[in-house]
Amino acid sequence: VGNCDVMVVNNDGSTTTAFTLSGYVTTQGQAYLSGTTIYGSLAYLDANFTVSYTNIGPFDVSVLDKLINVFLTNGLIPAINTVLK
């Protein structure tokens, strides 16, 4: 479970929180030993994100939720597995 503040830069250079996403990512991992080396793998199971705070009014977060899921499925999890192998 975590939060992500999305900030915007104002004309004067200061920042303002536009909105805050709250969510979770569920994964499953395995670790195994070969000789003296530990290897592992990580599997993506589920993620869900919602808007917990907004300074810009209500909006549908489903598009952001789908983008985050694509990033996790096709980017982050495979990158982690590359390091773990």
Side-chain angles (χ1 to χ4, degrees):
V1 176
N3 293 322
C4 176
D5 290 332
V6 177
M7 310 289 283
V8 295
V9 179
N10 301 313
N11 291 336
D12 64 2
S14 65
T15 58
T16 302
T17 301
F19 59 91
T20 301
L21 289 178
S22 295
Y24 66 86
V25 176
T26 305
T27 60
Q28 178 181 8
Q30 295 180 334
Y32 53 95
L33 185 62
S34 178
T36 59
T37 305
I38 297 174
Y39 297 93
S41 64
L42 190 64
Y44 169 78
L45 299 178
D46 185 35
N48 186 349
F49 294 88
T50 59
V51 176
S52 60
Y53 169 80
T54 178
N55 229 359
I56 59 173
F59 64 94
D60 183 9
V61 73
S62 64
V63 172
L64 286 174
D65 193 44
K66 288 176 185 175
L67 286 172
I68 292 168
N69 281 293
V70 167
F71 170 71
L72 292 170
T73 302
N74 299 310
L76 185 61
I77 299 297
I80 290 170
N81 282 326
T82 298
V83 172
L84 293 175
K85 291 185 178 186

Coordinates of all heavy atoms in Angstrom, one line a residue:
V1 N 0.9 -1.2 0.0 CA 0.0 0.0 0.0 C 0.9 1.2 0.0 O 1.9 1.3 0.7 CB -0.9 0.0 1.2 CG1 -1.7 1.3 1.3 CG2 -1.8 -1.2 1.2
G2 N 0.6 2.2 -0.8 CA 1.4 3.4 -0.9 C 0.6 4.5 -1.5 O -0.4 4.4 -2.1
N3 N 1.2 5.7 -1.5 CA 0.7 6.9 -2.1 C 1.7 7.5 -3.0 O 2.9 7.4 -2.8 CB 0.4 7.9 -1.0 CG -0.8 7.5 -0.1 OD1 -1.7 6.9 -0.5 ND2 -0.7 7.8 1.2
C4 N 1.2 8.2 -4.0 CA 2.0 8.9 -5.0 C 1.4 10.3 -5.2 O 0.3 10.4 -5.7 CB 2.1 8.1 -6.3 SG 3.0 9.0 -7.6
D5 N 2.1 11.3 -4.8 CA 1.7 12.7 -5.1 C 2.1 13.1 -6.4 O 3.3 13.0 -6.8 CB 2.3 13.6 -4.0 CG 1.7 13.5 -2.6 OD1 0.5 13.0 -2.5 OD2 2.4 13.7 -1.7
V6 N 1.2 13.6 -7.2 CA 1.4 14.1 -8.6 C 1.5 15.6 -8.5 O 0.4 16.2 -8.1 CB 0.4 13.6 -9.6 CG1 0.7 14.2 -11.0 CG2 0.4 12.1 -9.7
M7 N 2.6 16.2 -8.7 CA 2.8 17.6 -8.5 C 2.8 18.4 -9.9 O 3.2 17.8 -10.9 CB 4.1 17.9 -7.8 CG 4.4 17.1 -6.6 SD 3.3 17.5 -5.2 CE 4.2 19.0 -4.7
V8 N 2.5 19.6 -9.9 CA 2.6 20.5 -11.0 C 3.5 21.7 -10.6 O 3.5 22.1 -9.5 CB 1.2 21.0 -11.5 CG1 0.4 19.8 -12.1 CG2 0.5 21.7 -10.5
V9 N 4.2 22.2 -11.6 CA 5.0 23.4 -11.3 C 4.3 24.6 -11.7 O 3.8 24.8 -12.9 CB 6.3 23.3 -12.1 CG1 7.2 24.5 -11.9 CG2 7.1 22.0 -11.8
N10 N 4.1 25.6 -10.8 CA 3.4 26.8 -11.0 C 4.3 27.8 -11.8 O 5.6 27.6 -11.9 CB 3.0 27.5 -9.7 CG 2.1 26.5 -8.9 OD1 1.2 26.0 -9.5 ND2 2.4 26.3 -7.7
N11 N 3.8 28.9 -12.3 CA 4.5 29.9 -13.1 C 5.7 30.5 -12.3 O 6.7 30.8 -12.8 CB 3.6 31.0 -13.6 CG 2.7 30.5 -14.6 OD1 3.0 29.6 -15.3 ND2 1.5 31.2 -14.8
D12 N 5.5 30.6 -11.0 CA 6.6 31.1 -10.1 C 7.6 30.1 -9.7 O 8.6 30.4 -8.9 CB 6.0 31.8 -8.9 CG 5.3 30.9 -7.9 OD1 5.3 29.6 -8.2 OD2 4.7 31.3 -6.9
G13 N 7.5 28.9 -10.2 CA 8.5 27.8 -9.9 C 8.1 27.0 -8.7 O 8.8 26.0 -8.4
S14 N 7.1 27.4 -7.9 CA 6.7 26.6 -6.8 C 5.9 25.4 -7.3 O 5.5 25.3 -8.5 CB 5.8 27.4 -5.8 OG 4.7 27.8 -6.4
T15 N 5.7 24.4 -6.4 CA 4.9 23.3 -6.8 C 3.6 23.1 -6.0 O 3.5 23.6 -4.9 CB 5.7 22.0 -6.6 OG1 6.1 21.9 -5.3 CG2 7.0 21.9 -7.5
T16 N 2.6 22.5 -6.6 CA 1.3 22.3 -6.0 C 1.0 20.8 -6.3 O 1.2 20.3 -7.4 CB 0.3 23.2 -6.6 OG1 0.6 24.5 -6.4 CG2 -1.1 23.0 -5.9
T17 N 0.4 20.2 -5.3 CA -0.1 18.8 -5.5 C -1.4 18.9 -6.3 O -2.3 19.5 -5.9 CB -0.4 18.1 -4.1 OG1 0.8 18.1 -3.4 CG2 -0.9 16.7 -4.3
A18 N -1.3 18.2 -7.5 CA -2.5 18.1 -8.3 C -3.5 17.1 -7.8 O -4.7 17.3 -7.7 CB -2.1 17.8 -9.8
F19 N -2.9 15.9 -7.5 CA -3.7 14.8 -6.9 C -2.8 13.8 -6.3 O -1.6 13.8 -6.6 CB -4.7 14.2 -8.0 CG -4.0 13.6 -9.2 CD1 -3.6 12.2 -9.2 CD2 -3.7 14.3 -10.3 CE1 -2.9 11.7 -10.3 CE2 -3.1 13.8 -11.4 CZ -2.7 12.5 -11.4
T20 N -3.4 12.9 -5.5 CA -2.6 11.8 -4.8 C -3.3 10.5 -5.2 O -4.5 10.4 -5.0 CB -2.6 12.0 -3.3 OG1 -2.0 13.3 -3.0 CG2 -1.9 10.9 -2.6
L21 N -2.5 9.6 -5.7 CA -2.9 8.2 -6.0 C -2.6 7.4 -4.8 O -1.5 7.4 -4.3 CB -2.3 7.7 -7.2 CG -2.6 8.2 -8.6 CD1 -1.8 7.5 -9.7 CD2 -4.1 8.0 -8.9
S22 N -3.5 6.6 -4.4 CA -3.3 5.6 -3.4 C -3.5 4.2 -4.0 O -4.4 4.0 -4.8 CB -4.3 5.7 -2.2 OG -4.0 6.9 -1.6
G23 N -2.7 3.2 -3.6 CA -2.9 1.9 -4.2 C -2.0 0.9 -3.7 O -1.2 1.1 -2.7
Y24 N -2.1 -0.3 -4.3 CA -1.3 -1.4 -3.9 C -0.9 -2.3 -5.1 O -1.6 -2.2 -6.1 CB -2.1 -2.3 -2.8 CG -3.3 -3.0 -3.5 CD1 -3.1 -4.2 -4.1 CD2 -4.5 -2.4 -3.4 CE1 -4.3 -4.8 -4.7 CE2 -5.6 -3.0 -3.9 CZ -5.5 -4.2 -4.6 OH -6.6 -4.9 -5.1
V25 N 0.1 -3.0 -4.9 CA 0.6 -3.9 -5.9 C 0.8 -5.3 -5.2 O 1.5 -5.3 -4.2 CB 1.9 -3.5 -6.6 CG1 2.4 -4.6 -7.6 CG2 1.7 -2.2 -7.3
T26 N 0.2 -6.3 -5.8 CA 0.4 -7.7 -5.2 C 1.2 -8.5 -6.1 O 1.0 -8.6 -7.3 CB -1.0 -8.4 -5.0 OG1 -1.9 -7.5 -4.3 CG2 -0.9 -9.7 -4.4
T27 N 2.3 -9.1 -5.6 CA 3.2 -9.9 -6.3 C 3.4 -11.2 -5.6 O 3.0 -11.4 -4.4 CB 4.6 -9.2 -6.5 OG1 5.1 -9.0 -5.2 CG2 4.4 -7.9 -7.3
Q28 N 4.0 -12.2 -6.3 CA 4.4 -13.4 -5.7 C 5.8 -13.7 -6.1 O 6.2 -13.5 -7.3 CB 3.5 -14.5 -6.2 CG 3.8 -15.9 -5.7 CD 2.9 -17.0 -6.3 OE1 2.1 -16.7 -7.2 NE2 3.0 -18.2 -5.8
G29 N 6.6 -14.1 -5.2 CA 8.0 -14.3 -5.5 C 8.5 -15.7 -5.1 O 7.9 -16.4 -4.2
Q30 N 9.6 -16.1 -5.7 CA 10.2 -17.4 -5.4 C 11.7 -17.1 -5.4 O 12.3 -16.3 -6.1 CB 9.9 -18.5 -6.5 CG 8.5 -18.9 -6.6 CD 8.3 -19.9 -7.7 OE1 9.0 -20.0 -8.6 NE2 7.3 -20.7 -7.5
A31 N 12.4 -17.8 -4.4 CA 13.8 -17.7 -4.3 C 14.3 -19.2 -4.3 O 13.7 -20.0 -3.7 CB 14.2 -17.0 -3.1
Y32 N 15.5 -19.4 -4.9 CA 16.1 -20.7 -4.8 C 17.6 -20.5 -4.9 O 18.2 -19.5 -5.3 CB 15.6 -21.6 -6.0 CG 15.7 -21.0 -7.4 CD1 16.8 -21.3 -8.1 CD2 14.7 -20.2 -7.9 CE1 17.0 -20.7 -9.4 CE2 14.9 -19.6 -9.2 CZ 16.0 -19.9 -9.9 OH 16.1 -19.4 -11.2
L33 N 18.3 -21.6 -4.4 CA 19.7 -21.6 -4.2 C 20.3 -22.6 -5.2 O 19.9 -23.7 -5.3 CB 20.1 -22.0 -2.8 CG 21.5 -22.0 -2.3 CD1 22.1 -20.5 -2.4 CD2 21.6 -22.5 -0.9
S34 N 21.4 -22.1 -5.9 CA 22.2 -23.0 -6.7 C 23.6 -22.8 -6.4 O 24.2 -21.7 -6.7 CB 21.9 -22.6 -8.2 OG 22.7 -23.5 -9.1
G35 N 24.2 -23.8 -5.7 CA 25.6 -23.6 -5.2 C 25.6 -22.6 -4.1 O 24.9 -22.7 -3.1
T36 N 26.3 -21.5 -4.3 CA 26.3 -20.4 -3.3 C 25.6 -19.2 -3.8 O 25.8 -18.1 -3.3 CB 27.8 -20.1 -3.0 OG1 28.5 -19.7 -4.2 CG2 28.5 -21.3 -2.4
T37 N 24.8 -19.3 -4.9 CA 24.1 -18.2 -5.5 C 22.6 -18.3 -5.3 O 22.1 -19.4 -5.5 CB 24.4 -18.1 -7.0 OG1 25.9 -18.1 -7.2 CG2 23.8 -16.8 -7.6
I38 N 22.0 -17.2 -4.9 CA 20.6 -17.2 -4.7 C 20.0 -16.6 -5.9 O 20.4 -15.5 -6.4 CB 20.2 -16.4 -3.4 CG1 20.7 -17.0 -2.2 CG2 18.7 -16.2 -3.4 CD1 20.5 -16.2 -0.9
Y39 N 19.0 -17.2 -6.5 CA 18.2 -16.7 -7.7 C 16.8 -16.5 -7.3 O 16.4 -17.0 -6.2 CB 18.3 -17.7 -8.8 CG 19.7 -18.0 -9.3 CD1 20.5 -19.0 -8.8 CD2 20.3 -17.1 -10.3 CE1 21.8 -19.2 -9.3 CE2 21.5 -17.3 -10.8 CZ 22.3 -18.4 -10.3 OH 23.5 -18.6 -10.7
G40 N 16.0 -15.9 -8.1 CA 14.6 -15.7 -7.8 C 13.8 -15.2 -9.0 O 14.4 -15.0 -10.1
S41 N 12.5 -15.1 -8.7 CA 11.6 -14.6 -9.8 C 10.5 -14.0 -9.1 O 10.1 -14.3 -7.9 CB 11.1 -15.8 -10.7 OG 10.4 -16.7 -9.9
L42 N 9.9 -13.0 -9.8 CA 8.8 -12.3 -9.2 C 7.6 -12.3 -10.2 O 7.9 -12.1 -11.4 CB 9.2 -10.8 -9.0 CG 8.3 -9.9 -8.2 CD1 8.1 -10.4 -6.8 CD2 8.8 -8.5 -8.2
A43 N 6.4 -12.5 -9.8 CA 5.3 -12.6 -10.7 C 4.3 -11.5 -10.2 O 4.0 -11.3 -9.0 CB 4.6 -13.9 -10.6
Y44 N 3.8 -10.8 -11.2 CA 2.8 -9.7 -10.9 C 1.4 -10.4 -10.8 O 1.0 -11.2 -11.7 CB 2.8 -8.7 -12.1 CG 1.6 -7.8 -12.1 CD1 1.6 -6.7 -11.3 CD2 0.6 -8.0 -13.0 CE1 0.6 -5.8 -11.3 CE2 -0.5 -7.1 -13.0 CZ -0.5 -6.0 -12.2 OH -1.5 -5.1 -12.2
L45 N 0.7 -10.1 -9.8 CA -0.7 -10.7 -9.6 C -1.8 -9.6 -9.8 O -2.7 -9.9 -10.5 CB -0.8 -11.3 -8.2 CG 0.2 -12.4 -7.8 CD1 0.0 -12.9 -6.4 CD2 0.0 -13.6 -8.8
D46 N -1.6 -8.5 -9.1 CA -2.8 -7.5 -9.2 C -2.3 -6.2 -8.7 O -1.3 -6.1 -8.0 CB -3.9 -8.0 -8.2 CG -5.1 -7.2 -8.3 OD1 -5.5 -6.7 -9.4 OD2 -5.8 -7.0 -7.2
A47 N -3.0 -5.1 -9.1 CA -2.7 -3.8 -8.6 C -4.0 -3.0 -8.7 O -4.9 -3.3 -9.6 CB -1.6 -3.1 -9.4
N48 N -4.2 -2.0 -7.9 CA -5.4 -1.2 -7.9 C -5.0 0.2 -7.3 O -4.4 0.3 -6.3 CB -6.5 -1.8 -7.0 CG -7.8 -1.1 -7.1 OD1 -7.8 0.0 -7.7 ND2 -8.8 -1.6 -6.6
F49 N -5.4 1.2 -8.1 CA -5.1 2.6 -7.7 C -6.3 3.4 -7.7 O -7.2 3.2 -8.6 CB -4.0 3.2 -8.6 CG -2.7 2.5 -8.4 CD1 -2.4 1.4 -9.2 CD2 -1.8 3.0 -7.5 CE1 -1.1 0.8 -9.0 CE2 -0.6 2.3 -7.3 CZ -0.2 1.2 -8.1
T50 N -6.5 4.3 -6.7 CA -7.6 5.2 -6.6 C -7.1 6.6 -6.3 O -5.9 6.8 -5.8 CB -8.6 4.8 -5.5 OG1 -7.9 4.8 -4.3 CG2 -9.2 3.4 -5.8
V51 N -7.9 7.6 -6.6 CA -7.5 9.0 -6.2 C -8.0 9.2 -4.7 O -9.1 9.1 -4.4 CB -8.2 10.0 -7.1 CG1 -7.9 11.4 -6.6 CG2 -7.8 9.8 -8.6
S52 N -7.0 9.5 -3.9 CA -7.3 9.7 -2.5 C -7.4 11.2 -2.1 O -8.0 11.6 -1.1 CB -6.3 9.1 -1.6 OG -5.0 9.6 -1.8
Y53 N -6.8 12.1 -3.0 CA -6.9 13.5 -2.8 C -6.8 14.2 -4.2 O -6.1 13.7 -5.0 CB -5.8 14.0 -1.9 CG -5.6 15.5 -1.9 CD1 -6.4 16.3 -1.1 CD2 -4.7 16.1 -2.7 CE1 -6.3 17.6 -1.1 CE2 -4.6 17.5 -2.7 CZ -5.4 18.3 -1.9 OH -5.3 19.6 -1.8
T54 N -7.6 15.2 -4.4 CA -7.5 15.9 -5.7 C -7.6 17.4 -5.5 O -8.5 17.9 -4.7 CB -8.5 15.4 -6.7 OG1 -8.4 16.2 -7.9 CG2 -9.9 15.5 -6.2
N55 N -6.8 18.2 -6.1 CA -6.9 19.6 -6.1 C -7.4 20.1 -7.4 O -7.6 21.3 -7.6 CB -5.4 20.2 -5.9 CG -5.3 21.2 -4.9 OD1 -6.3 21.6 -4.3 ND2 -4.1 21.7 -4.7
I56 N -7.7 19.2 -8.4 CA -8.2 19.6 -9.7 C -9.6 19.1 -10.0 O -10.0 19.1 -11.1 CB -7.2 19.1 -10.8 CG1 -7.0 17.5 -10.7 CG2 -5.8 19.8 -10.6 CD1 -6.2 17.0 -11.8
G57 N -10.2 18.5 -9.0 CA -11.6 18.0 -9.1 C -11.6 16.5 -9.4 O -10.5 15.9 -9.7
P58 N -12.7 15.9 -9.3 CA -12.8 14.5 -9.5 C -12.5 14.1 -11.0 O -12.8 14.8 -11.9 CB -14.3 14.1 -9.2 CG -15.0 15.4 -9.3 CD -14.0 16.5 -9.0
F59 N -11.9 12.9 -11.1 CA -11.7 12.4 -12.5 C -11.6 10.9 -12.4 O -11.3 10.3 -11.3 CB -10.4 13.0 -13.1 CG -9.1 12.7 -12.4 CD1 -8.3 11.6 -12.8 CD2 -8.7 13.5 -11.4 CE1 -7.2 11.3 -12.2 CE2 -7.5 13.2 -10.7 CZ -6.7 12.1 -11.1
D60 N -11.7 10.3 -13.6 CA -11.7 8.8 -13.7 C -10.3 8.3 -13.7 O -9.5 8.7 -14.6 CB -12.5 8.4 -14.9 CG -12.5 6.9 -15.1 OD1 -12.2 6.1 -14.1 OD2 -13.0 6.4 -16.1
V61 N -9.9 7.6 -12.7 CA -8.5 7.1 -12.6 C -8.2 5.8 -13.4 O -7.1 5.3 -13.4 CB -8.1 7.0 -11.1 CG1 -8.7 5.8 -10.5 CG2 -6.6 6.9 -11.0
S62 N -9.3 5.3 -14.0 CA -9.1 3.9 -14.6 C -8.1 3.9 -15.7 O -7.4 2.9 -15.9 CB -10.5 3.5 -15.2 OG -10.9 4.3 -16.2
V63 N -7.9 5.0 -16.5 CA -6.9 5.1 -17.5 C -5.5 5.0 -16.9 O -4.6 4.3 -17.3 CB -7.0 6.3 -18.4 CG1 -5.8 6.5 -19.3 CG2 -8.3 6.3 -19.2
L64 N -5.2 5.8 -15.8 CA -4.0 5.8 -15.1 C -3.7 4.4 -14.5 O -2.6 3.9 -14.5 CB -3.9 6.8 -14.0 CG -3.7 8.2 -14.4 CD1 -3.9 9.2 -13.2 CD2 -2.4 8.4 -15.1
D65 N -4.8 3.8 -14.0 CA -4.7 2.4 -13.4 C -4.2 1.4 -14.4 O -3.3 0.6 -14.2 CB -6.0 2.0 -12.8 CG -6.0 0.8 -11.9 OD1 -5.0 0.7 -11.1 OD2 -6.9 0.0 -12.0
K66 N -4.8 1.5 -15.6 CA -4.4 0.6 -16.7 C -3.0 0.9 -17.2 O -2.2 -0.1 -17.4 CB -5.4 0.8 -17.9 CG -6.7 0.2 -17.7 CD -7.7 0.5 -18.8 CE -9.1 0.0 -18.5 NZ -10.1 0.3 -19.5
L67 N -2.6 2.1 -17.3 CA -1.2 2.5 -17.6 C -0.2 1.9 -16.6 O 0.9 1.4 -17.0 CB -1.0 4.0 -17.8 CG -1.6 4.6 -19.0 CD1 -1.5 6.1 -19.0 CD2 -0.9 4.1 -20.3
I68 N -0.5 2.1 -15.3 CA 0.4 1.5 -14.3 C 0.5 0.0 -14.4 O 1.6 -0.5 -14.3 CB -0.1 2.0 -12.9 CG1 0.0 3.5 -12.7 CG2 0.6 1.2 -11.8 CD1 -0.7 4.1 -11.5
N69 N -0.7 -0.6 -14.6 CA -0.6 -2.1 -14.8 C 0.2 -2.5 -16.0 O 0.9 -3.5 -15.9 CB -2.1 -2.6 -14.9 CG -2.8 -2.7 -13.6 OD1 -2.4 -3.5 -12.7 ND2 -3.8 -1.9 -13.4
V70 N 0.1 -1.8 -17.1 CA 0.9 -2.1 -18.3 C 2.4 -1.9 -17.9 O 3.3 -2.8 -18.3 CB 0.5 -1.3 -19.5 CG1 1.6 -1.3 -20.6 CG2 -0.8 -1.7 -20.0
F71 N 2.8 -0.8 -17.2 CA 4.1 -0.6 -16.8 C 4.7 -1.7 -15.9 O 5.8 -2.2 -16.1 CB 4.2 0.8 -16.1 CG 5.6 1.0 -15.5 CD1 6.7 1.2 -16.2 CD2 5.7 0.9 -14.1 CE1 8.0 1.4 -15.6 CE2 6.9 1.1 -13.5 CZ 8.0 1.3 -14.2
L72 N 3.9 -2.1 -15.0 CA 4.3 -3.2 -14.1 C 4.5 -4.5 -14.8 O 5.5 -5.2 -14.6 CB 3.3 -3.3 -12.9 CG 3.2 -2.2 -11.9 CD1 2.0 -2.4 -11.0 CD2 4.5 -2.1 -11.1
T73 N 3.5 -4.8 -15.7 CA 3.5 -6.1 -16.4 C 4.6 -6.2 -17.4 O 5.3 -7.2 -17.5 CB 2.2 -6.3 -17.1 OG1 1.1 -6.3 -16.1 CG2 2.1 -7.7 -17.8
N74 N 4.8 -5.1 -18.1 CA 5.8 -5.1 -19.3 C 7.1 -4.4 -19.0 O 8.0 -4.5 -19.8 CB 5.1 -4.5 -20.5 CG 3.9 -5.3 -20.9 OD1 3.9 -6.5 -21.1 ND2 2.8 -4.6 -21.1
G75 N 7.2 -3.7 -17.9 CA 8.4 -3.0 -17.6 C 9.1 -3.4 -16.3 O 10.2 -4.0 -16.3
L76 N 8.5 -3.0 -15.2 CA 9.2 -3.2 -13.9 C 9.4 -4.6 -13.5 O 10.5 -5.0 -13.2 CB 8.4 -2.5 -12.8 CG 9.0 -2.5 -11.5 CD1 10.4 -1.7 -11.5 CD2 8.1 -1.8 -10.4
I77 N 8.4 -5.5 -13.6 CA 8.5 -6.9 -13.2 C 9.5 -7.6 -14.1 O 10.4 -8.3 -13.5 CB 7.1 -7.6 -13.1 CG1 6.2 -6.9 -12.1 CG2 7.3 -9.1 -12.8 CD1 6.6 -6.9 -10.7
P78 N 9.4 -7.5 -15.4 CA 10.5 -8.2 -16.2 C 11.9 -7.7 -15.9 O 12.8 -8.4 -15.9 CB 10.1 -7.9 -17.6 CG 8.6 -7.6 -17.6 CD 8.4 -7.0 -16.2
A79 N 12.0 -6.4 -15.6 CA 13.3 -5.8 -15.3 C 13.9 -6.4 -14.0 O 15.1 -6.7 -13.9 CB 13.3 -4.3 -15.2
I80 N 13.0 -6.5 -13.0 CA 13.4 -7.1 -11.8 C 13.8 -8.6 -12.0 O 14.8 -9.0 -11.4 CB 12.3 -7.0 -10.7 CG1 12.1 -5.5 -10.3 CG2 12.6 -7.9 -9.5 CD1 10.9 -5.2 -9.4
N81 N 13.0 -9.3 -12.8 CA 13.4 -10.7 -13.0 C 14.7 -10.9 -13.8 O 15.4 -11.9 -13.5 CB 12.2 -11.4 -13.8 CG 11.1 -11.7 -12.8 OD1 11.3 -12.1 -11.7 ND2 9.9 -11.7 -13.3
T82 N 15.0 -9.9 -14.6 CA 16.3 -10.0 -15.3 C 17.5 -9.9 -14.3 O 18.5 -10.6 -14.4 CB 16.5 -8.8 -16.3 OG1 15.4 -8.9 -17.3 CG2 17.8 -8.8 -17.0
V83 N 17.3 -9.1 -13.3 CA 18.3 -8.9 -12.2 C 18.4 -10.2 -11.3 O 19.5 -10.6 -10.9 CB 18.1 -7.7 -11.4 CG1 19.0 -7.6 -10.2 CG2 18.2 -6.4 -12.2
L84 N 17.2 -10.8 -11.1 CA 17.2 -11.9 -10.2 C 17.7 -13.2 -10.8 O 17.9 -14.2 -10.1 CB 15.7 -12.1 -9.7 CG 15.1 -11.0 -8.8 CD1 13.7 -11.3 -8.5 CD2 15.9 -10.9 -7.5
K85 N 17.8 -13.3 -12.1 CA 18.2 -14.5 -12.8 C 19.7 -14.7 -12.8 O 20.5 -13.8 -12.9 CB 17.6 -14.6 -14.2 CG 16.2 -14.8 -14.1 CD 15.6 -15.0 -15.5 CE 14.1 -15.3 -15.3 NZ 13.4 -15.6 -16.5

